[in-house]
Amino acid sequence: MGERLQKVLANAGVGSRREIEGWISEGRIEVNGETAKLGQRVVGSDRIRIDGRPFSQKRMEAPERRVLVYNKPEGELVTRKDPEGRRTIYHRLPRLQHGRWIPVGRLDLNTSGLLLLTTDGELANRLMHPSRQVEREYAVRVMGQVSEEQLKQLTHGVELEDGPARFEEIVESGGEGINRWFHVVIMEGRQREVRRLWEAIGVQVSRLKRVRYGSVILESALKVGRWRALTHTEVNQLLEISGLPPEKRQPPARAKHYRSDRQQAPRKQGRGPKASGSSANNPWRRSRNPR
């Protein structure tokens, strides 16, 4: 039966499934000399052309599954190319000879912290899909006092321009003066959703950092601007969350940490409570099993 055309091309690093579906609708892809159709399945012997250019059959083989956790600094974009020439996350990541790094969700320019990246398009799509109910946890610094009534409003639900949204949990985690820190858990990844929820109750977010995605926690040993490959056990935990079969063989060992010679030293971050980035000081102590 083969695999769906958009899935094969996405796994090969050509583009996202949504982009490729658009190309198919526009008639830009051919299979065996005929214009491709949405939902069409292909096998390794099929001849594919994109915008008239042949697509290598070798690239149709699924790339080795790799998963990284990257500690994104503020000021970097989660995009491959920026028209304004701003810095992106990809200048720090290891180069791939086959496939491409697919970010699991995005962090905006002024948001830092944990970002998962994988070469497996199916895994990325499942981890991001709202139906999987994968928890995302953030450390948030807000300006000013927040009442108990406002916190209840955030957990009960707030109407945003793209529909209702809420935090699953909110835990206060310290702060000084007018700056207060909270840890929040959310189940979906709509654009700027955490910031927009706080803004909906009239509170300004001054700093935002993702500290957990599903079963992966941003540990303090992973410095800003660094990445590490997930262990075999960690990858299988993500596969379980996603409803995919576990990896049966141990992948070859790789360097745990990486820093490119051409990158600049990560700039120092402003001071904040240790709870904002350290699992040891997290208000929940990470004792519960994340979904």
Side-chain angles (χ1 to χ4, degrees), residues 217-228:
I217 297 170
L218 182 65
E219 70 270 31
S220 58
L222 188 64
K223 303 302 181 184
V224 176
R226 301 285 187 94
W227 63 263
R228 73 169 178 88

Side-chain angles (χ1 to χ4, degrees), residues 37 76 92 149 175 216 255 271 279:
K37 299 179 181 178
E76 283 187 355
R92 297 185 189 259
E149 187 59 36
V216 181
R271 292 184 179 180
S279 61

Side-chain angles (χ1 to χ4, degrees), residues 7 169 194 225:
K7 179 179 178 180
E169 297 178 65
V194 174

Side-chain angles (χ1 to χ4, degrees), residues 171-217:
V171 174
E172 189 169 1
S173 53
E176 298 178 354
I178 63 170
N179 293 312
R180 312 300 301 174
W181 282 91
F182 294 87
H183 276 241
V184 300
V185 171
I186 201 165
M187 291 293 197
E188 53 186 356
R190 283 186 267 169
Q191 187 177 22
R192 297 186 70 255
E193 188 171 6
V194 174
R195 293 181 186 273
R196 290 190 293 136
L197 272 166
W198 286 99
E199 291 168 358
I201 63 166
V203 176
Q204 182 180 351
V205 174
S206 58
R207 190 174 175 191
L208 183 60
K209 181 177 184 178
R210 186 154 65 197
V211 296
R212 180 168 63 88
Y213 199 111
S215 56
V216 181
I217 297 170

